[in-house]
Amino acid sequence: MTKKTANLVLVGAGRMGSHHAQNIAFTLNNAHLFGIFDQYLPGAKALGEKLGCDFITDKIEDIANHPEVDGVVIAAPARFHASISKYFLEHGKAVFCEKPAGLTLAEIEETSAAADTAKRPYQIGFNRRWDRAFVSAKEKIQQGVIGTPQQLRSLTRDPGPWGGDPFNIPTWTIFYETLIHDFDTLLWLNDNAKVVEVRALADALVRPDAKSHGHLDVATVTLRFDNGAIAIAEANFCAMYGYDVRAEVLGSLGMVQMGDVRKPNMTSYNKDGAQDDTWRVDSDIFVDAYAAQIRAFANAILTGQQTGPNGRDAHRALAISLACIESVTTGNAITTNI
Ligand SMILES: NC(=O)c1ccc[n+]([C@@H]2O[C@H](COP(=O)([O-])OP(=O)(O)OC[C@H]3O[C@@H](n4cnc5c(N)ncnc54)[C@H](O)[C@@H]3O)[C@@H](O)[C@H]2O)c1
């Protein structure tokens, strides 16, 4: 009989991982939360108790060698992503990995090769590709509704006040972990075009006191594509009005816009005017997209057909991040072939 649910194990029971595990346990009908692995066992146990999952471990081999585990959902810190992904692929497990898939191009290449050898799904957590607005916009572009793309933009503004510790965040996080979403979005929206030039400016305007430590919390990037299109990507760690994720493509015949910081369907009015509530948390704004991407991952395991972003997509987005770092470091525009 054909299997109807994929047995998934969460790797990394932190903020993002908890959300994925909750989706697997309660929202998705094609996946089963088989276990939780975290190197910090108490965290994994607490989540397991909440979700009713009792295969909890801090030993990676318990998962890799378990014959009933079909795949893993990795939400550990970025520096571990590539090595953990490769390890599980080499043990024949399908891998969903949060972005970034790795911090060097070489490690993503090695992980992709492991996925090819194992013939197992290897999907990356570029969740905007699963958001309804972004999907509809992409369809319009593909249908030719806006003509030839000329100018694109994608932005990510995290909600303020920003509570991060700038002295504990690696310097290039804004490119590796934040803007990497925007780079993937722009590549995906301007399909079949290559990025031939990258320029980036970045600064510490939210926490200028941490600038000498190497901290960066705002960035603006321009990309030039070989089909003539020009794109802007921008990020800011502290938008006081909410969590703002938007994109736009202007073409020869029209425009598509995606995203809205305002929560839909409710505006309050009084003597001072009109007021909208705004999104504050990624797991609210992307609630459906986060579920959809894991549903697609489970489906890839069950059908053998991967539809979500793969190692090649991760490689391209990271290559832009690395070009940005080079651009900020040298002050130059970087010629690329991405
Ligand atoms: N796609 C998105 O919108 C989105 C949003 C938030 C975070 N993320 C990504 O999710 C990942 C996790 O972020 P977070 O905010 O949940 O972090 P977090 O610090 O809250 O959680 C990380 C968890 O991983 C565990 N861990 C650490 N090293 C491990 C290892 N070697 N093996 C197994 N577990 C390990 C930690 O104990 C912790 O429980 C990051 O890569 C981040 O970029 C993605």
Side-chain angles (χ1 to χ4, degrees):
M1 200 173 76
T2 318
K3 208 172 162 187
K4 295 229 169 54
T5 55
N7 283 336
L8 303 183
V9 172
L10 174 70
V11 175
R15 194 178 73 85
M16 193 67 232
S18 301
H19 187 84
H20 288 320
Q22 198 159 317
N23 268 334
I24 298 163
F26 301 132
T27 309
L28 304 175
N29 60 10
N30 66 348
H32 168 62
L33 184 64
F34 190 81
I36 300 173
F37 159 59
D38 195 302
Q39 64 171 21
Y40 178 63
L41 197 57
K45 278 187 176 159
L47 183 63
E49 263 169 42
K50 199 172 132 202
L51 302 181
C53 168
D54 37 51
F55 181 26
I56 310 289
T57 182
D58 58 356
K59 292 182 187 57
I60 195 166
E61 57 275 14
D62 288 353
I63 308 300
N65 295 326
H66 200 300
E68 287 177 63
V69 173
D70 296 311
V72 294
V73 171
I74 301 172
R79 64 188 183 281
F80 301 119
H81 285 179
S83 58
I84 298 178
S85 298
K86 186 163 167 274
Y87 174 80
F88 281 114
L89 287 161
E90 284 171 348
H91 283 78
K93 308 302 181 195
V95 167
F96 172 94
C97 184
E98 265 302 341
K99 53 77 202 172
L103 298 179
T104 68
L105 296 177
E107 60 184 9
I108 296 182
E109 285 159 19
E110 283 172 18
T111 311
S112 297
D116 290 345
T117 303
K119 296 191 171 45
R120 303 301 293 148
Y122 172 43
Q123 186 180 323
I124 314 304
F126 289 132
N127 51 282
R128 289 177 203 181
R129 294 186 183 214
W130 305 95
D131 178 87
R132 204 169 294 152
F134 284 71
V135 171
S136 304
K138 167 97 174 171
E139 282 167 7
K140 294 284 180 208
I141 295 169
Q142 285 175 325
Q143 289 159 6
V145 173
I146 66 157
T148 307
Q150 294 173 343
Q151 288 173 294
L152 302 89
R153 63 172 57 228
S154 176
L155 65 85
T156 304
R157 297 180 188 154
D158 290 327
W162 185 58
D165 176 359
F167 297 97
N168 264 327
I169 295 179
T171 297
W172 304 110
T173 295
I174 196 161
F175 295 115
Y176 281 130
E177 300 212 32
T178 308
L179 277 159
I180 198 141
H181 276 301
D182 300 276
F183 300 150
D184 178 66
T185 299
L186 292 166
L187 290 167
W188 179 66
L189 291 172
N190 195 18
D191 223 358
N192 300 320
K194 284 192 163 184
V195 176
V196 291
E197 187 191 273
V198 175
R199 296 169 196 245
L201 291 174
D203 211 330
L205 302 183
V206 178
R207 288 294 302 270
D209 56 310
K211 185 171 175 173
S212 59
H213 182 71
H215 173 67
L216 296 170
D217 48 36
V218 302
T220 299
V221 177
T222 57
L223 307 177
R224 185 184 288 279
F225 287 88
D226 68 353
N227 65 350
I230 298 169
I232 292 177
E234 54 166 276
N236 187 307
F237 282 5
C238 182
M240 289 307 293
Y241 57 87
Y243 183 50
D244 193 2
V245 174
R246 284 177 282 142
E248 181 180 286
V249 184
L250 173 62
S252 53
L253 299 176
M255 173 176 73
V256 282
Q257 290 184 322
M258 295 138 265
D260 191 339
V261 70
R262 296 169 300 177
K263 284 189 175 177
N265 299 331
M266 203 286 284
T267 304
S268 67
Y269 300 81
N270 65 13
K271 64 182 175 45
D272 297 322
Q275 182 83 36
D276 289 296
D277 282 343
T278 57
W279 298 108
R280 297 281 156 174
V281 193
D282 47 7
S283 50
D284 284 342
I285 191 169
F286 287 121
V287 65
D288 294 334
Y290 284 154
Q293 64 178 355
I294 305 291
R295 184 181 296 113
F297 174 59
N299 211 35
I301 292 172
L302 297 171
T303 63
Q305 302 294 320
Q306 179 169 345
T307 54
N310 57 21
R312 180 175 176 271
D313 299 307
H315 192 276
R316 294 185 77 200
L318 180 70
I320 299 178
S321 297
L322 295 172
C324 288
I325 292 169
E326 189 183 345
S327 178
V328 170
T329 307
T330 61
N332 296 329
I334 308 301
T335 301
T336 58
N337 181 24
I338 297 169

